[in-house]
Amino acid sequence: MSPRLYATCAELFQADREIAERTPGLRAEDRTTDVEEEELEERSTAARREYRERQEE
């Protein structure tokens, strides 16, 4: 990679970090998708079910 291209990428990365710090939760990387939310809900439901079953024992 040329030094000029590398420097430009480094500047872009730094600018992205600064924007992320000023606007937490607004980047696409910080958002959950519907699939992720469904998976989290399924895991939570399974964990609650397992907890109840253990409590009953």
Side-chain angles (χ1 to χ4, degrees):
M1 183 180 301
S2 73
R4 188 172 161 205
L5 179 57
Y6 183 83
T8 301
C9 289
E11 289 175 15
L12 180 59
F13 177 79
Q14 184 59 35
D16 185 58
R17 294 280 97 210
E18 291 171 3
I19 292 168
E21 289 172 5
R22 288 193 312 262
T23 57
L26 295 180
R27 298 175 66 207
E29 294 88 353
D30 299 333
R31 295 182 182 177
T32 59
T33 63
D34 290 338
V35 173
E36 289 173 337
E37 289 177 9
E38 289 175 10
E39 288 176 3
L40 289 173
E41 183 61 34
E42 288 174 8
R43 288 183 199 157
S44 178
T45 301
R48 286 192 301 272
R49 184 180 320 114
E50 183 178 340
Y51 176 79
R52 282 192 308 269
E53 290 171 358
R54 289 184 183 201
Q55 289 294 83
E56 290 175 0
E57 291 175 0

